[in-house]
Amino acid sequence: MSRRIALSVAAGAVVLGGAGAFALVYAGEQPPALATSTARYTAPDGDRDGSLTFTTDVTASSDVKSVKVLAWPANSSFAKKGLTANDMAAAESAVCKPSGGDTERCTYKVTISRAEADESPRGLWHVAVLTTTEDGDTTLDTKTADFTVV
């Protein structure tokens, strides 16, 4: 009886060990993840230009190749049809710097002139982000952060 228990324990250890190895391999192939995303909009004031600053932390199993950023009004056509990776092709890139481990801090900043602000729709805006790693894994988050244009 003890021999049968020993074989069962050994077989169970092999199965669990294999499952653990699979979990580690699977975890290493996860798409890039975004965290701590913030958007800060400052309207132009007098002769001073305004700005939009967006930051996010990207964690990925391989190096980050690109982070594309697109700010879009909540009442635009994207709200109805949905934003796709193809829509992000012409978006501008954030600048990313290592911030420890598999994480990079990415920042996108754009200056907004008085004329641009006057032409922009008022209300809620979303920030969409398309992240691509060197391995080709991608993540599209169409509402990573929000800000309001008043």
Side-chain angles (χ1 to χ4, degrees):
M1 188 69 143
S2 65
R3 186 174 170 163
R4 190 179 312 165
I5 292 172
L7 288 174
S8 294
V9 169
V14 169
V15 169
L16 289 176
F22 174 76
L24 287 175
V25 168
Y26 181 74
E29 295 177 6
Q30 294 296 311
L34 305 174
T36 321
S37 301
T38 60
R40 188 179 76 236
Y41 172 78
T42 304
D45 185 24
D47 292 340
R48 183 182 55 82
D49 285 336
S51 65
L52 171 64
T53 303
F54 169 77
T55 60
T56 191
D57 292 331
V58 180
T59 302
S61 56
S62 72
D63 291 338
V64 174
K65 180 177 180 181
S66 71
V67 174
K68 300 277 195 158
V69 178
L70 177 68
W72 59 280
N75 61 356
S76 72
S77 62
F78 291 135
K80 296 176 185 95
K81 70 174 185 130
L83 190 63
T84 67
N86 287 340
D87 296 322
M88 298 293 292
E92 296 179 334
S93 296
V95 175
C96 300
K97 297 179 181 177
S99 63
D102 292 339
T103 303
E104 294 190 32
R105 167 66 52 99
C106 300
T107 304
Y108 169 79
K109 185 171 184 175
V110 63
T111 301
I112 300 169
S113 70
R114 166 66 61 196
E116 290 169 325
D118 289 344
E119 294 173 5
S120 296
R122 302 294 182 245
L124 181 64
W125 284 61
H126 304 294
V127 177
V129 177
L130 176 65
T131 306
T132 305
T133 65
E134 293 292 340
D135 290 346
D137 291 330
T138 62
T139 296
L140 173 62
D141 187 340
T142 60
K143 297 178 182 177
T144 307
D146 299 323
F147 63 95
T148 302
V149 174
V150 289

